[in-house]
Amino acid sequence: MTALGLILRNLRLRRLSSVLTSVGVALGVMLVCAILLLRADLERHYLGPQEGYSLVVGAPGSALQLVLNTIYHVDQSPGLIPVSVWRELDAHPSTRLAVPYAVGDAFRGFRVVATTEAFFDPRFPHPAAKTTAGKFAAGGPFAVNPAELGAALDAVAAGRTAESENPGHAVVGHDVARTLGIRVGDRIEPTHGVGSEQAHEHEQLWEVVGVLRATGTPIDRVVLISLDSFYRIPDHAGGAVVPGSGEPGLSAVVLTPKAGMHKTVLLTTLNKRPDIQVASADREIRRLLGIVGRVDRLFLWVAVLVVLIAIMSVLVSVYATMRGRRREIATLRAIGAPRSLVFRVVAGEALLLVVAGALAGVVLGHGLVAVSSGAVEQAAGFSPDALGFLWEEAAVLLTVTLAGAAAGAIPALEAYRTDVARALNPGGTT
Amino acid sequence: MGEIIVDLQGIVKTYQTGEVSVPVLKGIDLRIDAGEHVAIMGKSGAGKSTLMNIVGCLDRPTAGDYVLAGHPVSRLEDDELSGIRGKTIGFVFQSFHLLGSMTVMENVALPMEYQNVPTAQRHARATELLERVGLGHRLGHRPNQLSGGERQRVAIARSLSNRPKLLLADEPTGNLDSAGTRKILALFAELQAESGFTMIVVTHDPAIGNAAPRLVRVADGLIVEDRR
Ligand SMILES: Nc1ncnc2c1ncn2[C@@H]1O[C@H](COP(=O)(O)OP(=O)(O)OP(=O)(O)O)[C@@H](O)[C@H]1O
Ligand SMILES: [Mg+2]
């Protein structure tokens, strides 16, 4: 019988305890893998899309909240800033591009962002493309008619709702188009508010003029509408104004500074003003990940500890069987099995339990991520990828395998050293 | 006089238990020819099993020389000894020592595997031996499904699988009733007549000892009687 044959027989003989010790390893490895996967996705999700956003200008409040709301479309907007701020920033000598954002509407579960053609400017990096046309999978951009926008803003400032002959225009992200089966030329009617409870229908219709190409970023899940049409939504007559001044409001302006010192210039000058704040997207996200990172490192250590304990329990369980097996080992030796075989049988048993557990753990870890992806998306605004494989997981498998081999070596050495004569004559004098 | 199979000279075995050395064998000289049938008797604690372990290469003497079938083995390394055991010696133990995780058939075939006998040949030989000991209908059973006498017959079949020159049996009937004992002894006699192996049996039973062609009596680590 080869070592593997003997191992499998021994394991079958002690089925329950074998399975239980393996399950311990599997649970530990599952936790480690799930944490690693979630962490990698979190970083990919938060570090990828923020590139190129640079500065976000919004109402005073939490800078992190402003960045999260504007770039990741999670959380609430901290408030409104006057439209005049956008006009001013657009004309600022340090500004390369100023993209206005008016948020707060949702269309069948997807967030609606009202903006201008600046969003489709090749200098705005999402979706990254050399030309405006390159940003689209189908159709093309919309452009805001300055006269219509001016009329709509005047109406809002006066507490009325402007009318227009023309329907509003919309561009949808890739996921929106795919999920809802929307094509260029379709008419959609956004509803107000992100939660479904307070949602109610506007009577206006928007014509879809374009579908953005897939980016793997939150932009895939956004419906863009023209800014003038936003101010013509009837309910916005009261809600789209900055409290106090009564001026029409925007949620944020995404600002791309000119190269060189201009970013610092904008940051320092704008942050002196009491009515607005400027957040550096990069800095806020790295700060967030720093906090999250500390927490998930703690979780990771706990999971690693679980794996270690499980491997110890494999060692203990194999070791515990050694007393009962000494006779069997001695018998094998008596009928001609070499020492190395009994070493391999015992070490291999521990190794097999650990490796089987570890492999099951990797599968379970991915399963756990798949099962919890809905909850994660609710909580963190991104849906983790359960099918991706990380090099860290290979490292985990390798480390656990080595630890299993080390754990198996201890009882195996005991088996190797078995005093055959004594083990065959239990009690000494027989 | 044929080939000398076991040649022990001045065999001493001393166990070290902590500070105390316990001399168990105190100078054994014993020569056994090929084909002999030897019974070893002696009081409990006399050193019979210790002697058998050395003869069977399961243990090494503290001093003295042992030549087994022409090979000096008293200084060999552990793995060389296990090779010699598998090839040359068959063991039958008082408490059978069958492997519970395997079938009767697999138990008997196992020693051949360590001598690299091909699978088909292993199966043929194991089947033949089990039929010979009257267990041809039990090939797929587990040892714990058999009676004591049947288990010992499996152990005997296993001990003969590599056609050993030397069969060592330490109280092979110690766990059996008198009917079982008689059957096993008759089987040994028949098998020895067929195959011509050398056989050494340790026994407490005077009837068995006296019936053997040669009787060696051990007392306090020394041979005190060697009657042919
Ligand atoms: N590994 C050991 N360490 C120390 N002492 C041992 C060891 N093995 C045997 N002895 C001692 O050696 C002596 C002889 O033991 P052995 O087993 O050879 O006796 P025996 O003649 O086979 O007895 P029995 O008839 O009871 O089987 C006993 O006193 C025993 O306690
Ligand atoms: Mg004994």
Side-chain angles (χ1 to χ4, degrees):
Chain A
M1 189 114 330
T2 59
L4 187 64
L6 286 166
I7 291 167
L8 293 178
R9 266 156 213 276
N10 287 333
L11 291 179
R12 210 175 311 146
L13 216 59
R14 290 185 304 278
R15 236 170 273 129
L16 187 65
S17 76
S18 305
V19 167
L20 289 179
T21 47
S22 250
V23 163
V25 178
L27 291 179
V29 172
M30 174 185 84
L31 288 179
V32 171
C33 283
I35 291 168
L36 287 175
L37 282 170
L38 289 177
R39 186 160 85 162
D41 272 341
L42 185 82
E43 287 194 358
R44 191 161 49 228
H45 176 79
Y46 278 99
L47 282 183
Q50 57 87 25
E51 282 166 26
Y53 275 99
S54 202
L55 298 179
V56 182
V57 180
S62 156
L64 181 59
Q65 188 186 347
L66 176 64
V67 167
L68 286 178
N69 182 255
T70 307
I71 302 180
Y72 303 97
H73 310 291
V74 292
D75 209 339
Q76 298 295 315
S77 164
L80 295 175
I81 52 170
V83 172
S84 59
V85 171
W86 163 50
R87 302 252 195 236
E88 181 194 332
L89 290 175
D90 202 25
H92 196 284
S94 292
T95 299
R96 202 164 163 222
L97 189 69
V99 182
Y101 273 53
V103 304
D105 289 287
F107 173 61
R108 290 168 69 181
F110 295 102
R111 298 220 178 194
V112 173
V113 175
T115 185
T116 64
E117 59 274 19
F119 197 102
F120 309 113
D121 190 301
R123 289 174 295 181
F124 187 70
H126 295 281
K130 285 207 174 64
T131 62
T132 296
K135 291 174 178 258
F136 287 86
F142 55 68
V144 170
N145 179 331
E148 295 239 24
L149 178 60
L153 288 172
D154 289 345
V156 169
R160 291 181 292 106
T161 303
E163 304 275 328
S164 171
E165 317 277 88
N166 310 318
H169 287 159
V171 164
V172 298
H174 190 265
D175 284 359
V176 180
R178 204 192 43 196
T179 313
L180 303 180
I182 292 176
R183 285 201 224 122
V184 172
D186 287 354
R187 301 219 158 197
I188 58 175
E189 61 184 338
T191 56
H192 197 274
V194 171
S196 53
E197 272 122 71
Q198 75 251 46
H200 61 267
E201 311 249 323
H202 296 295
E203 274 142 33
Q204 242 169 316
L205 287 179
W206 274 259
E207 184 189 341
V208 176
V209 295
V211 176
L212 294 174
R213 66 174 182 78
T215 62
T217 70
I219 281 182
D220 293 353
R221 306 178 53 75
V222 163
V223 176
L224 301 170
I225 61 171
S226 50
L227 193 59
D228 56 324
S229 66
F230 174 81
Y231 291 111
R232 286 196 298 271
I233 298 173
D235 312 323
H236 289 180
V241 296
V242 181
S245 76
E247 219 191 307
L250 281 172
S251 311
V253 176
V254 174
L255 208 53
T256 309
K258 287 180 179 157
M261 289 298 291
H262 294 288
K263 181 172 180 176
T264 319
V265 169
L266 283 168
L267 261 173
T268 46
T269 57
L270 296 180
N271 265 339
K272 289 201 186 101
R273 293 170 52 162
D275 56 333
I276 57 173
Q277 68 161 327
V278 189
S280 162
D282 185 68
R283 192 185 325 145
E284 292 308 318
I285 292 310
R286 284 187 192 279
R287 187 150 58 191
L288 171 69
L289 289 182
I291 298 164
V292 173
R294 265 198 296 276
V295 175
D296 72 27
R297 209 152 337 147
L298 186 70
F299 278 129
L300 192 61
W301 280 117
V302 171
V304 166
L305 210 63
V306 172
V307 173
L308 278 181
I309 291 168
I311 290 172
M312 283 296 286
S313 83
V314 170
L315 192 166
V316 168
S317 95
V318 172
Y319 206 89
T321 65
M322 282 302 297
R323 177 186 285 272
R325 281 156 83 176
R326 201 150 284 149
R327 265 182 44 164
E328 182 186 313
I329 286 161
T331 305
L332 285 170
R333 301 279 284 111
I335 64 175
R339 264 181 159 180
S340 57
L341 181 98
V342 299
F343 182 91
R344 276 182 284 137
V345 167
V346 175
E349 183 176 324
L351 190 61
L352 200 70
L353 287 173
V354 169
V355 170
L359 287 174
V362 170
V363 172
L364 286 174
H366 284 255
L368 186 66
V369 169
V371 165
S372 62
S373 76
V376 171
E377 183 158 10
Q378 285 268 305
F382 71 99
S383 96
D385 174 18
L387 292 177
F389 195 83
L390 305 170
W391 68 265
E392 284 102 323
E393 292 178 82
V396 166
L397 274 178
L398 186 71
T399 311
V400 170
T401 302
L402 290 178
I410 295 168
L413 220 56
E414 188 91 353
Y416 185 84
R417 292 214 201 95
T418 299
D419 181 340
V420 179
R422 195 162 191 178
L424 287 172
N425 297 291
T429 65
T430 31
Chain B
M1 197 101 322
E3 178 201 0
I4 297 167
I5 187 106
V6 171
D7 190 355
L8 299 171
Q9 265 172 14
I11 294 295
V12 172
K13 180 71 187 178
T14 306
Y15 285 113
Q16 201 70 39
T17 4
E19 301 278 284
V20 207
S21 355
V22 186
V24 177
L25 300 179
K26 299 172 181 170
I28 298 271
D29 298 317
L30 182 63
R31 196 173 266 197
I32 296 172
D33 292 332
E36 270 196 282
H37 177 183
V38 182
I40 295 182
M41 292 191 73
K43 285 208 198 83
S44 183
K48 306 182 294 295
S49 294
T50 306
L51 178 59
M52 287 292 264
N53 288 338
I54 288 170
V55 172
C57 299
L58 295 171
D59 208 349
R60 273 176 293 189
T62 313
D65 289 309
Y66 176 21
V67 179
L68 170 66
H71 302 286
V73 293
S74 28
R75 306 282 173 270
L76 289 186
E77 284 308 309
D78 192 279
D79 273 335
E80 296 170 295
L81 291 180
S82 61
I84 288 173
R85 281 198 296 270
K87 243 193 322 271
T88 326
I89 305 173
F91 293 93
V92 177
F93 303 97
Q94 177 176 352
S95 39
F96 324 130
H97 291 324
L98 297 174
L99 296 170
S101 62
M102 299 182 194
T103 63
V104 160
M105 170 79 151
E106 288 164 337
N107 265 282
V108 176
L110 190 55
M112 292 184 267
E113 205 165 312
Y114 300 126
Q115 303 307 318
N116 301 316
V117 177
T119 315
Q121 242 168 287
R122 288 204 300 268
H123 283 194
R125 172 87 177 141
T127 310
E128 175 196 319
L129 282 166
L130 283 164
E131 275 165 3
R132 179 63 194 82
V133 300
L135 291 172
H137 57 299
R138 300 289 205 140
L139 302 181
H141 285 69
R142 303 256 161 193
N144 61 9
Q145 297 169 313
L146 305 182
S147 74
E150 287 171 327
R151 285 185 214 185
Q152 197 58 304
R153 280 189 274 158
V154 175
I156 290 169
R158 179 178 68 184
S159 73
L160 297 177
S161 59
N162 282 326
R163 302 175 208 275
K165 291 183 176 160
L166 181 60
L167 187 82
L168 301 179
D170 195 344
E171 296 183 47
T173 58
N175 281 353
L176 304 179
D177 61 12
S178 58
T181 300
R182 251 183 285 116
K183 276 193 208 155
I184 292 295
L185 291 175
L187 183 61
F188 271 135
E190 288 168 30
L191 289 168
Q192 200 196 7
E194 288 164 24
S195 315
F197 50 79
T198 309
M199 185 166 157
I200 308 177
V201 185
V202 172
T203 180
H204 273 122
D205 187 339
I208 299 171
N210 291 326
R214 180 176 174 189
L215 173 65
V216 171
R217 210 176 277 280
V218 179
D220 202 18
L222 288 168
I223 292 178
V224 292
E225 184 189 338
D226 189 350
R227 174 190 62 69
R228 282 175 206 256

